[in-house]
């Protein structure tokens, strides 16, 4: 009988407002991947559903998860905590599914320190001006929050060299195609593949 091949983990990072969510939504239309639902202490935005977009927690609940070592990584971003519940990621990978972590830079670093085989994809805006325009037009954040996110975005862009791949979000369709191509290429790597074939 075939031995199940373990899934791979892909980090999809990039500044707030760059369009990661929209690109992933497109990708999920054609790919069966496990989207890791993060825990956060920020308030839900309009239309966000608890357990679907995030697990919305109090600071106390979030701290309890840290204490129980239930998070693969966690970080503070724009005044709130965000973290990846570990258990579901491992269950999905054990079941042979690829996992997508839509997380920011500090979290990406923690995951890669613990699991260096993780593949990192950075989503970049076509230009700085375009990112500013998108963040302002999203209309979901107060002006001081937008300014905070833009400062953070500058830091993320300056550190994009840490990632394995960069996808520029010119159009959602093209960006989703490029992410899909990266997933495909990673599954065609020689390392691991040969072992996979010999085990069968
Ligand atoms: P937002 O508040 O716009 O939903 O997310 C803010 C930032 O936090 C985004 O860059 C998003 O990718 C990141 N983020 C979401 N979930 C997590 C998580 O579990 N861990 C970390 N480190 N960052 C996250």
């Amino acid at each position: 009988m075939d031995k199940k091949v373990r899934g791979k983990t892909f980090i999809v990072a990039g500044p707030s407002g760059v369009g990661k969510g929209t690109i992933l939504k497109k990708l999920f239309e054609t790919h069966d991947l496990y989207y890791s639902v993060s825990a956060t202490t920020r308030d839900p935005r309009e239309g966000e559903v608890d357990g679907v977009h995030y697990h919305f927690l109090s600071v106390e609940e979030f701290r309890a998860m840290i204490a129980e070592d239930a998070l693969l990584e966690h970080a503070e971003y724009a005044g709130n905590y965000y973290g990846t519940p570990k258990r579901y990621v491992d269950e999905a990978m054990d079941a042979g599914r690829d996992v997508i972590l839509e997380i920011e830079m500090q979290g990406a670093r923690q995951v890669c320190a613990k699991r260096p085989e993780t593949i990192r994809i950075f989503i970049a805006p076509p230009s700085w001006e375009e990112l500013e325009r998108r963040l302002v037009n999203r209309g979901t954040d107060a002006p001081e929050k937008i300014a905070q996110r833009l400062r953070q975005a500058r830091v993320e862009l300056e550190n994009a060299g840490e990632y394995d791949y960069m996808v520029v979000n010119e159009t959602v369709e093209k960006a989703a195609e490029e992410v899909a191509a990266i997933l495909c290429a990673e599954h065609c790597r020689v390392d691991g593949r040969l072992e996979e074939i010999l085990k069968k």
Side-chain angles (χ1 to χ4, degrees), residues 20 38 42 45 54 73 82-84 102-104 107 149:
K20 298 180 297 257
S38 297
R42 94 151 155 69
R45 293 192 184 119
Y54 280 105
E73 59 74 35
Y82 295 83
T84 303
E102 186 189 339
I103 63 176
E104 55 65 69
R149 281 169 186 266

Side-chain angles (χ1 to χ4, degrees), residues 8 117 185-196:
K8 294 178 187 287
E117 69 282 9
E186 284 294 328
H187 278 282
C188 293
R189 292 186 76 98
V190 170
D191 40 315
R193 266 220 135 170
L194 195 56
E195 203 184 311
E196 209 179 282

Side-chain angles (χ1 to χ4, degrees), residues 141-190:
D141 295 303
E144 65 274 15
K145 282 280 174 198
I146 294 175
Q148 197 177 15
R149 281 169 186 266
L150 278 169
R151 280 197 297 277
Q152 191 66 40
R154 180 61 83 175
V155 176
E156 300 218 21
L157 277 167
E158 282 167 1
N159 287 282
E162 291 174 17
Y163 291 78
D164 301 307
Y165 296 96
M166 183 182 279
V167 169
V168 178
N169 188 13
E170 300 275 0
T171 70
V172 174
E173 288 73 19
K174 186 162 175 284
E177 265 174 34
E178 287 182 5
V179 174
I182 293 166
L183 265 60
C184 179
E186 284 294 328
H187 278 282
C188 293
R189 292 186 76 98
V190 170

Side-chain angles (χ1 to χ4, degrees), residues 9-21 23-24 35 73 77 99-109 111-112 118-125 131 152-153 155-157 159-169 175 179 182:
T9 299
F10 295 85
I11 291 174
V12 175
S16 181
V18 79
K20 298 180 297 257
I23 294 168
L24 289 176
Y35 180 86
E73 59 74 35
Y77 185 96
V99 172
I100 300 286
L101 304 183
E102 186 189 339
I103 63 176
E104 55 65 69
M105 189 179 69
Q106 305 162 68
R109 286 180 181 153
V111 175
C112 291
T118 307
I119 301 120
R120 292 159 293 182
I121 306 172
F122 188 86
I123 311 289
L131 182 67
Q152 191 66 40
V155 176
E156 300 218 21
L157 277 167
N159 287 282
E162 291 174 17
Y163 291 78
D164 301 307
Y165 296 96
M166 183 182 279
V167 169
V168 178
N169 188 13
V179 174
I182 293 166

Side-chain angles (χ1 to χ4, degrees), residues 42-50 53 56 138-141:
R42 94 151 155 69
D43 292 332
R45 293 192 184 119
E46 209 181 310
E48 284 184 334
V49 178
D50 188 35
H53 299 94
F56 293 101
R138 185 159 78 173
T140 50
D141 295 303

